Amino acid sequence: MDSRYSPQDIEEKWYKTWEDAGAFKPQGTGKPFTIVIPPPNVTGALHMGHALNNTLQDVLTRFKRLQGYRTLWQPGTDHAGIATQSVVEKQLAKEGVKRQDLGREKFVEKVWEWKQEYGGRIVNQLMRLGSSCDWSRLRFTMDEGLSKAVREVFVRLHQDGLIYRGTRLINWCPKLQTALADEEVESKETKGHFWSIKYPLADNPEEFIVVSTTRPETMFGDVAVAVNAEDERYKHLIGKQVKLPGTDRTIPIIADEHADPTKGTGAVKITPAHDFNDYEVGKRHNLKPIIAMNLDATLNHQAGKYAGMPRFEARKAILADLEAAGLLAAVEDRVIQLPTCYRSGDVVEPYLLDQWFVYMKPLAVPALEAVESGRTRFVPARYAKIYRDWLEPFKDWCISRQLWWGHQIPAWYVVSETDGKRRQDTPFVVARSVEEAQAEATSKYGAHAVLVQEEDVLDTWFSSALWPFSTLGWPGKTPELETHYPTDVLVTDRGIIYFWVARMVFSGIKFLEKEPFHTVYIHGTILDEKGQRMSKSKGNGIDPIEMIGKYGADAVRFALMILTTEGQDIKLSPVKFETGRNFANKLWNAVRFVLPHLQDNREPLRMGELHLADRWILARLDETIKTVTESLEPPTLRFSEAAQALYRFTWDDFCSSYLEIRKRVITADDATATLEALAAKKQAVSVFATVLEKLITLLHPFMPFITEEIRQAIGLQDLLITSSWPTAGTPGAGNAEEMATMELLLKIVDITRAIRGDYTIPPAQATDLIISCDNADLRERLKPHADVVSSLEKVGALKLEVNGSKPAFSAAGLFPGGHIYIPLEGILDPVQEKVRLTKELGKAEGFMATQEKKLQNESFVKSAPADVVEGERTKLQSQKERVEKLKVALADLG
RNA sequence: GGGCGUUUAGCUCAGUUGGUUUAGAGCAUCUGCUUUACACGCAGAGGGUCGGGGGUUCAAGUCCCUCAACGCCCA
């Protein structure tokens, strides 16, 4: 074994071994435990957010697998409609080809080719991380099975009247040429202008009403001017007509509360086809919307001479012309909220179009109740509010997208009913297949019905919403579905609570009558060291695969877990992975050290022969088992706490204390040691092995590779990944009194080391040590274990006394129950010693004073619980003794 | 404008239901160490009164109010 642990050598080997052994598949007949992966986009590359998200899932999966659950971590990828289509379009663009040149069928074929070639990248990256997904069950949202589930859901929702087609104002991305859901629109604060434009009255062109707008280019879609009914300036104009500049149209002045007298001129143009507020106003006043723009965001025929101009060019031209005509009254700088597309970044255009919608209220109500009742709970709990606030307005979900890559909507227009052409009023049928559609159309419209399928595809999230059951074979009644639905924990980030989590909840309830998971764990966001989001454009990302190459997957995982405190964002920099790497190296070296002695020396523990340190470390192990087990158990999920408990135990207790104490005994030379020493060695080695075996099991969810390697190195044949989780109650664990004795001895070591440090005595230089106990009882307790002290520091003569006197030229220290003295003739500086002791005395007196004050407070003694008061009294008493002792020690110095 | 989060040692963060010591850890800093597992190491040390103000309580970093700064989400 090398003194440096090198992860590169073993990670691939173990991953393959696990897969070959089928270790990732659900095993046995235990209770099921299931996690479905948030399917990464098939175009994706692993980023730090993925690394965190998947490490968390893997920790849980491995933990539960070790506990004997029939564990399934269901993997898969998402077809990510817009993202994937864009990637392939960009690739084609390099060859000078547009998707329109290829046509729909060819283009979709190209995307599938792309998926075949590059879609596996992220899966391989997840493997590098150590993810123990059941890859034999890998799914893709556009697989035949999942597509079947999509069609089934669409048909059933339609049958139940929950899907409708309608003309609504939607968010339109001119660049991608598709509708967007509200959540796909990001509003960006931008510097803009507020223009005031004069609209002349129809019956008196010399008189004007001045309207204020941020979007003058939509004026050809204006159908009215609205003023507030209470606005004295305009009351007399209500009901009159104005002439829309640049057109022959006249439009009415109406009264509507939407017009805010305090904003701009108090009069606003109403453009129902291109503004969400105006759309509502239009509905209230029965005004027919006028579409003034094409889908590519150029103006249409309504705009007269501006027809065909792109929207922002048209804006400039219109404003220039208005100004020339003397119709531009004012320009004001203003910060506006610009709606932009979350994918393309283009300015989103509200547009009146026919789209497909899901009627949300009947679905949202039970989904809200699921969280309200606690059947589904968020960790941290505060995210339940985000979920509720999104669902509660019951806004219908626009599910159609004008893309080619995705699930084509299973609706067929019966064009034979409308002269073979698709029109607004063409009837349609919704069905699971074209055959089913044809049958239905035939029964309704006769044998000559001609069908054309809807061209739109479904929103990507429509299929992700079904993920917890579509991946398990629904709508089939599969054994997997039977066993693994509902799943247990969903691990994701806050960004997709409504895109995804809410939609899975209502879909699960609707189609399987059960919530899809009982716990939603929302982890923090990974930020760079300055606290900024990592992004490609900023170039501040840290590549997990690069980090895995440099530090090892275990180090990356462990570092992330120690940083994962509930719901907090994580400021990350590569140095943080050093913690993980150093920790792996520490463990590696502890094993390396004992390994040569392990072979022939393991035997059952004989209680009578166990050393105090043995009993102590076994008890500390038990405590660690408890902490880790409780911390990882949903819904507690305190990953950092578990990781830290393991770090402390391994480094401080197991390595720094236990191993150092037992070092000499363990390394006794088999050939020359006495029989007694050999017996002691066997016991020490066996304790070491016992602790190590359980420790690597506890660590395995966090650091799967190194722990598996160690298990093999110490000669265990079976795989760690499928072994079993330890439980507390290790035979030989020390009792409370033994633990106290050990802690006292460690305390004595601490004090001695501190004194030696003060006098900068090199570690190799021995000093004598006198431990003077206040009573014989304590001395008898400590006496058999004095080697604990002498093994942890270079001690010359060690004396255990009762009320011993302080030797000349010695430094003094206090422990609860006695003094220690270190003779330092020739080294001791009385002045330094005095300073040291005076400082300690000051602290002790300060503390004593606080205690006294507390206990003199009658209301404290009266109101506080008896055990708290009693505790304070004990503390005061021991502090008093401490002060007395320090005074004596100081007096001794003269 | 509404909601949520954060503010504790130079830096990054713990501190679960208010009551274990004089508020902890890692990194950084300083001192001393090639002690036969580990310098990705060992042994020490210094450093904060917990963003400001007010309140509840016998007792508050921990609960309440308020102000401020930073961040996120929504409008």
Side-chain angles (χ1 to χ4, degrees):
Chain A
M1 273 174 108
D2 193 59
S3 74
R4 289 271 170 94
Y5 164 63
S6 45
Q8 292 74 17
D9 303 344
I10 64 158
E11 290 181 358
E12 207 180 321
K13 170 187 79 179
W14 284 118
Y15 201 84
K16 190 171 182 311
T17 307
W18 292 328
E19 269 216 287
D20 291 350
F24 301 159
K25 293 188 170 136
Q27 315 249 337
T29 53
K31 267 178 73 180
F33 180 83
T34 310
I35 294 183
V36 290
I37 201 170
N41 287 0
V42 69
T43 54
L46 197 78
H47 59 239
M48 268 303 162
H50 289 126
L52 170 63
N53 177 255
N54 288 288
T55 300
L56 289 164
Q57 293 175 75
D58 199 42
V59 167
L60 285 175
T61 300
R62 288 179 186 267
F63 167 56
K64 286 290 164 184
R65 186 184 290 123
L66 283 164
Q67 279 191 325
Y69 284 78
R70 216 183 326 167
T71 308
L72 171 64
W73 183 10
Q74 170 65 49
T77 52
D78 192 284
H79 69 279
I82 297 173
T84 311
Q85 176 161 327
S86 309
V87 168
V88 178
E89 276 187 286
K90 270 184 201 152
Q91 201 187 35
L92 287 172
K94 282 184 196 154
E95 304 158 23
V97 181
K98 282 187 186 166
R99 73 179 149 107
Q100 288 81 0
D101 302 339
L102 292 175
R104 182 169 189 152
E105 202 174 321
K106 277 259 166 59
F107 176 77
V108 169
E109 231 170 76
K110 280 269 178 210
V111 183
W112 275 110
E113 277 170 29
W114 186 93
K115 190 245 169 192
Q116 283 332 87
E117 193 164 342
Y118 303 106
R121 177 174 58 170
I122 194 146
V123 168
N124 289 321
Q125 291 177 322
L126 286 170
M127 291 174 171
R128 286 287 307 278
L129 188 67
S131 312
S132 62
C133 306
D134 181 357
W135 297 110
S136 70
R137 301 194 45 79
L138 183 66
R139 294 291 184 269
F140 178 56
T141 44
M142 278 182 44
D143 283 349
E144 182 41 41
L146 278 73
S147 301
K148 194 175 166 194
V150 165
R151 291 191 297 270
E152 181 69 26
V153 163
F154 191 94
V155 169
R156 287 210 207 160
L157 286 175
H158 182 256
Q159 277 170 356
D160 293 351
L162 299 179
I163 278 185
Y164 64 93
R165 189 177 156 71
T167 306
R168 297 281 184 285
L169 200 59
I170 49 92
N171 304 291
W172 179 260
C173 174
K175 191 161 181 191
L176 300 174
Q177 293 281 300
T178 181
L180 299 171
D182 292 343
E183 302 75 45
E184 292 171 324
V185 178
E186 291 171 350
S187 96
K188 284 200 179 138
E189 210 162 77
T190 322
K191 279 183 188 159
H193 303 280
F194 206 38
W195 288 279
S196 295
I197 301 168
K198 295 177 177 173
Y199 283 13
L201 294 191
D203 55 7
N204 179 7
E206 300 305 307
E207 207 184 319
F208 302 95
I209 185 161
V210 184
V211 299
S212 299
T213 178
T214 59
R215 302 215 53 199
E217 68 277 12
T218 63
M219 66 184 282
F220 303 105
D222 288 1
V223 296
V225 170
V227 297
N228 196 291
E230 307 298 311
D231 197 333
E232 294 298 338
R233 292 172 294 179
Y234 302 117
K235 263 190 173 163
H236 65 290
L237 295 175
I238 294 167
K240 292 200 170 188
Q241 294 280 319
V242 296
K243 184 168 168 295
L244 191 60
T247 71
D248 301 328
R249 287 204 284 130
T250 61
I251 55 176
I253 295 172
I254 58 170
D256 192 278
E257 62 204 17
H258 172 56
D260 181 346
T262 66
K263 277 189 187 156
T265 58
V268 288
K269 63 201 251 333
I270 299 300
T271 324
H274 298 288
D275 182 282
F276 285 96
N277 286 315
D278 294 4
Y279 183 71
E280 296 303 318
V281 177
K283 274 208 294 200
R284 284 199 284 272
H285 297 270
N286 265 321
L287 297 163
K288 193 162 180 270
I290 294 175
I291 295 172
M293 227 181 260
N294 298 308
L295 289 172
D296 61 357
T298 57
L299 301 201
N300 70 8
H301 66 278
Q302 295 284 353
K305 69 179 217 186
Y306 307 104
M309 277 177 116
R311 53 190 164 168
F312 299 120
E313 267 178 50
R315 175 186 292 180
K316 277 186 202 153
I318 291 167
L319 286 167
D321 290 347
L322 285 171
E323 188 162 21
L327 295 174
L328 189 61
V331 188
E332 185 189 319
D333 287 340
R334 196 174 188 196
V335 174
I336 52 168
Q337 300 296 329
L338 203 59
T340 57
C341 169
Y342 84 131
R343 281 288 167 201
S344 72
D346 199 15
V347 177
V348 165
E349 206 57 58
Y351 206 101
L352 195 61
L353 273 178
D354 268 11
Q355 299 290 340
W356 295 86
F357 296 87
V358 173
Y359 176 37
M360 281 298 299
K361 194 172 179 182
L363 295 167
V365 167
L368 284 166
E369 199 272 331
V371 170
E372 207 66 38
S373 68
R375 284 197 302 280
T376 299
R377 75 169 101 191
F378 280 86
V379 178
R382 63 173 182 274
Y383 287 109
K385 186 172 155 52
I386 307 267
Y387 170 92
R388 194 178 60 227
D389 289 352
W390 181 74
L391 273 176
E392 215 151 47
F394 307 126
K395 283 175 76 174
D396 289 354
W397 176 17
C398 174
I399 51 170
S400 44
R401 297 289 181 278
Q402 289 64 48
L403 304 173
W404 286 353
W405 176 244
H407 299 100
Q408 202 169 342
I409 290 179
W412 284 263
Y413 294 95
V414 190
V415 291
S416 45
E417 291 296 297
T418 50
D419 307 327
K421 284 186 192 144
R422 170 133 171 246
R423 298 197 316 227
Q424 176 110 28
D425 60 344
T426 307
F428 61 84
V429 292
V430 166
R432 293 169 182 82
S433 65
V434 64
E435 293 79 18
E436 200 182 297
Q438 190 69 54
E440 191 183 332
T442 302
S443 78
K444 265 192 192 158
Y445 303 101
H448 304 295
V450 177
L451 303 185
V452 174
Q453 189 174 359
E454 167 65 88
E455 292 201 345
D456 290 357
V457 300
L458 288 163
D459 179 6
T460 299
W461 299 104
F462 192 91
S463 53
S464 340
L466 321 180
W467 192 246
F469 48 93
S470 64
T471 51
L472 297 173
W474 189 91
K477 286 190 170 29
T478 61
E480 288 85 357
L481 192 66
E482 186 64 31
T483 308
H484 294 287
Y485 192 93
T487 73
D488 291 272
V489 182
L490 180 81
V491 181
T492 190
D493 67 84
R494 65 179 109 90
I496 52 176
I497 291 175
Y498 25 82
F499 275 119
W500 193 44
V501 179
R503 287 166 182 165
M504 281 192 285
V505 175
F506 68 64
S507 303
I509 296 172
K510 169 79 182 163
F511 294 100
L512 286 107
E513 284 151 16
K514 270 179 200 161
E515 295 76 14
F517 23 72
H518 54 73
T519 301
V520 181
Y521 181 82
I522 304 287
H523 60 250
T525 306
I526 303 260
L527 306 170
D528 73 3
E529 41 198 324
K530 289 179 201 144
Q532 296 177 310
R533 267 189 124 82
M534 288 184 179
S535 71
K536 265 189 211 156
S537 53
K538 281 189 208 142
N540 60 348
I542 299 173
D543 176 9
I545 296 299
E546 191 190 323
M547 294 299 114
I548 288 171
K550 192 168 173 192
Y551 299 104
D554 289 330
V556 169
R557 294 167 58 113
F558 192 81
L560 288 173
M561 290 305 95
I562 214 155
L563 292 169
T564 297
T565 50
E566 190 179 279
Q568 284 319 106
D569 288 351
I570 298 170
K571 282 189 201 165
L572 196 65
S573 68
V575 281
K576 304 244 169 152
F577 297 118
E578 288 179 12
T579 308
R581 179 201 57 187
N582 297 352
F583 181 57
N585 194 239
K586 185 78 184 175
L587 180 67
W588 182 255
N589 276 288
V591 175
R592 194 168 71 94
F593 173 58
V594 180
L595 201 57
H597 307 283
L598 214 53
Q599 320 305 355
D600 307 316
N601 288 301
R602 294 185 61 180
E603 55 177 35
L605 299 182
R606 291 187 297 276
M607 295 308 142
E609 290 174 27
L610 290 181
H611 189 272
L612 178 67
D614 293 334
R615 300 183 66 88
W616 173 77
I617 197 69
L618 291 167
R620 282 288 302 123
L621 174 69
D622 272 2
E623 287 171 15
T624 307
I625 292 171
K626 276 187 207 151
T627 305
V628 174
T629 309
E630 285 168 14
S631 301
L632 291 183
E633 188 61 41
T636 302
L637 302 173
R638 287 205 275 262
F639 295 93
S640 178
E641 197 169 287
Q644 276 189 56
L646 285 164
Y647 185 91
R648 292 254 155 72
F649 176 76
T650 306
W651 203 300
D652 300 342
D653 298 338
F654 192 48
C655 292
S656 294
S657 296
Y658 181 72
L659 208 48
E660 291 300 329
I661 293 167
R662 304 300 281 154
K663 203 174 219 175
R664 291 209 189 89
V665 174
I666 287 174
T667 54
D669 185 347
D670 290 354
T672 58
T674 62
L675 281 178
E676 200 183 339
L678 281 180
K681 173 175 178 168
K682 283 182 194 295
Q683 285 299 292
V685 165
S686 303
V687 169
F688 178 89
T690 303
V691 174
L692 182 66
E693 262 175 58
K694 297 198 182 189
L695 175 58
I696 57 172
T697 315
L698 295 172
L699 279 166
H700 182 260
F702 300 88
M703 312 180 100
F705 297 106
I706 190 175
T707 49
E708 191 73 80
E709 177 74 9
I710 289 171
R711 185 169 172 98
Q712 191 197 42
I714 62 177
L716 294 163
Q717 304 298 323
D718 58 336
L719 286 174
L720 178 54
I721 187 174
T722 42
S723 65
S724 58
W725 190 254
T727 48
T730 309
N735 60 30
E737 195 194 316
E738 288 167 321
M739 297 303 276
T741 306
M742 183 68 183
E743 301 297 344
L744 198 53
L745 288 162
L746 291 174
K747 180 86 188 157
I748 289 169
V749 169
D750 276 350
I751 294 163
T752 316
R753 281 173 170 176
I755 292 172
R756 287 172 56 108
D758 270 353
Y759 285 98
T760 50
I761 293 165
Q765 186 182 327
T767 46
D768 293 345
L769 176 62
I770 294 143
I771 302 172
S772 168
C773 301
D774 289 346
N775 58 62
D777 240 23
L778 182 60
R779 178 172 176 273
E780 292 315 304
R781 245 174 79 199
L782 298 183
K783 199 175 177 185
H785 313 299
D787 67 311
V788 168
V789 177
S790 56
S791 60
L792 288 173
E793 56 201 344
K794 193 85 175 170
V795 178
L798 174 63
K799 279 189 216 157
L800 263 166
E801 298 179 344
V802 178
N803 286 322
S805 57
K806 179 173 177 290
F809 307 110
S810 64
L814 293 176
F815 68 90
H819 295 77
I820 65 162
Y821 302 116
I822 304 176
L824 292 173
E825 190 160 5
I827 298 170
L828 189 85
D829 173 356
V831 177
Q832 187 184 345
E833 188 67 3
K834 204 165 184 174
V835 169
R836 196 172 64 80
L837 290 176
T838 308
K839 210 166 137 193
E840 266 195 65
L841 178 64
K843 280 189 201 168
E845 281 178 334
F847 181 58
M848 191 176 81
T850 351
Q851 296 307 115
E852 266 175 344
K853 209 172 141 198
K854 217 174 198 178
L855 284 162
Q856 275 159 10
N857 183 344
E858 276 177 41
S859 35
F860 169 71
V861 180
K862 210 164 57 189
S863 321
D867 56 325
V868 172
V869 177
E870 196 43 48
E872 294 298 326
R873 287 217 170 94
T874 315
K875 271 191 268 173
L876 177 61
Q877 192 49 40
S878 67
Q879 210 53 223
K880 268 184 179 163
E881 284 166 19
R882 198 175 151 74
V883 167
E884 285 315 306
K885 284 175 179 174
L886 281 167
K887 279 183 178 162
V888 171
L890 266 170
D892 265 9
L893 280 172

